Amino acid sequence: MILDNRGLEPPQPMMRTLDALESLSVGETLSIINDRRPMFLYEQLDEKGYKHVTSEREDGSYLIEITK
């Protein structure tokens, strides 16, 4: 599943991402695209035990792959 959060103002990207993660089963991955690096989201993911990998895309946005 891919969630495109570009163009949204904080905290909308984080709230949309956390809501989408609720519907995932253990082992599934959610990919999100954000305009900026989601520093506050990382704290939430770490607290909940999600694994995440971030890569910067050519257009300056960020792809974050989150595994439940």
Side-chain angles (χ1 to χ4, degrees):
M1 174 195 282
I2 296 176
L3 187 61
D4 189 345
N5 290 324
R6 290 176 289 184
L8 300 175
E9 291 298 318
Q12 289 179 335
M14 182 168 77
M15 301 312 294
R16 288 183 74 210
T17 299
L18 293 174
D19 286 345
L21 287 170
E22 292 294 321
S23 66
L24 292 185
S25 298
V26 173
E28 288 187 314
T29 299
L30 170 68
S31 298
I32 64 170
I33 303 170
N34 282 16
D35 290 322
R36 56 188 70 83
R37 205 177 274 275
M39 302 311 291
F40 295 112
L41 176 62
Y42 295 144
E43 294 172 16
Q44 294 287 320
L45 297 176
D46 291 340
E47 285 179 15
K48 295 176 184 280
Y50 293 107
K51 296 178 182 173
H52 52 90
V53 177
T54 301
S55 55
E56 187 170 0
R57 297 166 28 117
E58 287 183 18
D59 66 359
S61 64
Y62 291 89
L63 173 66
I64 301 93
E65 295 176 304
I66 306 164
T67 304
K68 187 170 188 175

